[in-house]
Amino acid sequence: MMNDLQMRLCGDLVLRQKCTPVDVITDDLLNVLDKMVEMMREQSGVGLAAPQVGITSRFLVMTDPDTNQVFKMINPEIISRSTKTCKMEEGCLSVLGPDNLPVFSHVVRPDAVVVVWTNESGERMQAEMSGLPARIVQHETDHLDGKLFIDYLSPVHREMVMRKVRRHKK
């Protein structure tokens, strides 16, 4: 894949690509997952998806902020979403403002999800997540489909976020 992972920022076309499933778990993939966990922690993030480091494959890393458990998800898929929604503030390590910190905005998403994935050992896993972990896994799996949290915002709110992003790029 690549050794030198670089954060990709809003405007980079890789963030808008639909990622391809991972066929084989290689040592290279396992190394990339480990590096992504390091990057996520260094930037005080709670999740990081492959496209954010320029890779168009379906995998992500995330932390459950309540338990500090790290998930390395290969080919994650949300198989059900609750009808109950909640509005929470979201930011993204790929959507930075003029202060070089993530820009935040409120996003409405399902409160709970059931997600299936393959872990690093090749085992199929399933978890029901609610609250913050559900929010994180939805945000990160969106990245694998080329979606950003700003896509959920009203045109007015999206423009407010993008104004900050454009100031970051100057």
Side-chain angles (χ1 to χ4, degrees), residues 62-115:
M62 64 171 273
T63 303
D64 178 336
D66 302 325
T67 63
N68 282 328
Q69 181 182 358
V70 171
F71 294 90
K72 296 174 184 175
M73 297 183 173
I74 301 164
N75 298 328
E77 184 187 350
I78 295 173
I79 56 169
S80 79
R81 292 172 162 80
S82 65
T83 51
K84 181 179 173 229
T85 59
C86 67
K87 187 177 196 175
M88 286 173 82
E89 212 173 44
E90 272 184 49
C92 179
L93 296 174
S94 292
V95 183
L96 303 180
D99 52 4
N100 232 16
L101 293 170
V103 177
F104 287 87
S105 195
H106 284 89
V107 178
V108 176
R109 291 189 188 265
D111 185 51
V113 296
V114 176
V115 61

Side-chain angles (χ1 to χ4, degrees), residues 15-17 109 139-152:
L15 295 173
R16 292 303 191 172
Q17 290 182 356
R109 291 189 188 265
H139 178 109
E140 299 308 331
T141 54
D142 272 353
H143 275 300
L144 304 179
D145 292 322
K147 285 184 86 166
L148 298 175
F149 82 97
I150 56 175
D151 298 343
Y152 293 96

